[in-house]
Amino acid sequence: MKAVTTSSPPPPGVDVVLPCLDEAEALPWVLARIPAGWRALVVDNGSTDGSADIARGLGASVIHEARRGFGAACHAGLTAATADIVCFCDCDASLDPSLLVPFVDEVADGRADLVLGRRRPQGRGAWPAHARAGNLALARMLRRRTGLRLRDLGPLRAARREPLLALGLTDRRSGYPLQMVVRAADAGWRVTEHDVPYLPRSGASKVTGTWRGTWQAVRDMSRVLNEAPASVEVGGVRR
């Protein structure tokens, strides 16, 4: 796969959360693209292919999360992070973490509170039709629920750590990324979206590789959309 490079040096003090379940093949490619000065937090979610050892050998910090679930892995990484700004990226080589540099700049400069990557498929098989259909349906439901006119709910994203923790995220499965956006919208966050290349992933998807997996993910996310607005902290005040 061809790396996407950036021209500006990345700001230091950023943690990148990488939820990982049997991604031994993809890890070298992903970790080689973490910007200099940033820390990779690989959250091993029960891998049996040596992913944790590979990540550690490549210089990443490894966190073990026994509870299975994408949200469980993401939240374990968030709670382990110490940097002011935290990013999230899939660990399957479908997204290049170096693309997070302008996301972090936007958050650091105060132009946005949460920045998301809108996935643009590169080549056949990068994003199956059933997964795109499910994502489109969720984006429409999100618009009705929050008013946000997003076109994707992709996993590539950046925000400040303390405000993220204050959102009180509770989903530990496929609904975690959506719950983050919903609660951010309820808290009045400025949410922006930028196009990013979406490459064919390494290995089989654990969520959207099948119609059944996609349906389960949509069901998890639909449950999130039906939740009553949560009380979140805004400027030190709960509302």
Side-chain angles (χ1 to χ4, degrees):
M1 299 178 194
K2 185 178 179 180
V4 180
T5 58
T6 56
S7 58
S8 59
V14 176
D15 284 339
V16 184
V17 175
L18 299 157
C20 176
L21 176 58
D22 293 331
E23 301 292 3
E25 180 182 347
L27 274 167
W29 188 90
V30 174
L31 293 176
R33 285 155 180 79
I34 299 294
W38 293 15
R39 182 172 63 145
L41 298 177
V42 173
V43 185
D44 186 71
N45 202 207
S47 298
T48 59
D49 66 349
S51 288
D53 290 336
I54 291 171
R56 194 176 293 108
L58 292 170
S61 297
V62 176
I63 301 151
H64 293 278
E65 173 54 53
R67 180 177 178 180
R68 285 292 183 92
F70 182 76
C74 287
H75 203 70
L78 175 60
T79 56
T82 57
D84 179 41
I85 296 177
V86 176
C87 300
F88 296 84
C89 181
D90 276 355
C91 206
D92 58 10
S94 63
L95 293 163
D96 187 337
S98 70
L99 298 174
L100 286 162
V101 172
F103 289 32
V104 169
D105 288 340
E106 195 167 344
V107 173
D109 293 345
R111 288 174 282 142
D113 301 304
L114 175 62
V115 185
L116 308 174
R118 181 196 180 193
R119 292 166 289 184
R120 305 292 288 185
Q122 307 295 302
R124 293 175 60 86
W127 201 359
H130 58 269
R132 275 183 281 176
N135 187 75
L136 179 60
L138 286 167
R140 289 173 175 169
M141 288 188 283
L142 176 70
R143 184 178 303 178
R144 289 196 295 269
R145 167 65 174 76
T146 67
L148 291 176
R149 303 183 69 84
L150 299 176
R151 293 163 292 180
D152 190 12
L153 299 169
L156 198 70
R157 51 187 63 191
R160 293 191 184 275
R161 177 175 56 87
E162 289 295 338
L164 277 175
L165 289 169
L167 292 178
L169 302 176
T170 57
D171 191 281
R172 296 296 181 264
R173 296 188 0 167
S174 301
Y176 187 89
L178 177 61
Q179 189 179 57
M180 183 186 296
V181 176
V182 169
R183 294 199 175 183
D186 289 345
W189 286 24
R190 294 160 297 171
V191 181
T192 59
E193 180 182 56
H194 303 292
D195 288 356
V196 294
Y198 192 47
L199 308 171
R201 62 156 290 140
S202 174
S205 172
K206 285 79 174 177
V207 178
T208 58
T210 65
W211 278 99
R212 180 179 180 183
T214 300
W215 168 245
Q216 289 175 339
V218 170
R219 185 175 58 185
D220 288 345
M221 295 182 185
S222 297
R223 184 173 59 250
V224 169
L225 289 169
N226 289 327
E227 292 177 352
S231 173
V232 295
E233 187 172 304
V234 181
V237 178
R238 301 297 296 185
R239 76 176 191 184

